[in-house]
Amino acid sequence: RAIVSLWNFMKGASSGNYFFHNEGRDSYNTREFHDWAVNRITEWRLVTESHLQWSRSLLVVPYEELRAHPLPWVRTMLDFLHIEEDPDRMACLANHVEGKVKGLQRT
């Protein structure tokens, strides 16, 4: 799902429609998507391995967990970064965890 989300974001970026763009399920069966996805997965693996090996302080946030429980994870991230929680921003986030910004990722 992370790859699909990034694919839609990147494709929307070229049209200036970053957050509401849905490339469509048919695009996942193309050579363009396949090659792009293989490259991104390879890059992510290398970055992840490097960070896991060399970082002194690291918080791993599984994408699926962030999607399922965004508010608790944001609080965990803020705490990890020693950033005070802003109640207004958290209220705004709580009001926007569902909706068309999730595109094809609604389920």
Side-chain angles (χ1 to χ4, degrees):
R1 287 189 176 197
I3 287 292
V4 168
S5 179
L6 183 59
W7 172 252
N8 282 305
F9 179 82
M10 297 302 290
K11 290 304 233 176
S14 63
S15 67
N17 192 11
Y18 297 92
F19 299 108
F20 303 112
H21 183 81
N22 286 316
E23 193 61 16
R25 296 188 191 286
D26 290 341
S27 73
Y28 310 142
N29 295 322
T30 64
R31 169 59 73 188
E32 178 189 12
F33 174 74
H34 179 270
D35 292 346
W36 178 88
V38 168
N39 287 333
R40 293 303 78 71
I41 291 167
T42 301
E43 289 172 1
W44 281 1
R45 191 196 84 225
L46 293 172
V47 168
T48 300
E49 288 174 353
S50 174
H51 280 69
L52 288 171
Q53 184 175 8
W54 300 106
S55 293
R56 293 185 204 180
S57 180
L58 183 70
L59 175 66
V60 176
V61 180
Y63 178 78
E64 293 79 7
E65 286 293 316
L66 180 59
R67 286 187 73 243
H69 310 287
L71 294 173
W73 273 106
V74 168
R75 287 186 178 101
T76 299
M77 289 185 270
L78 290 171
D79 185 55
F80 177 79
L81 296 169
H82 308 290
I83 297 172
E84 189 174 330
E85 183 179 313
D86 180 329
D88 292 335
R89 286 185 173 258
M90 292 301 290
C92 180
L93 176 60
N95 287 329
H96 293 91
V97 294
E98 296 294 330
K100 72 179 191 174
V101 76
K102 285 192 168 189
L104 293 175
Q105 302 281 318
R106 288 185 182 105
T107 60

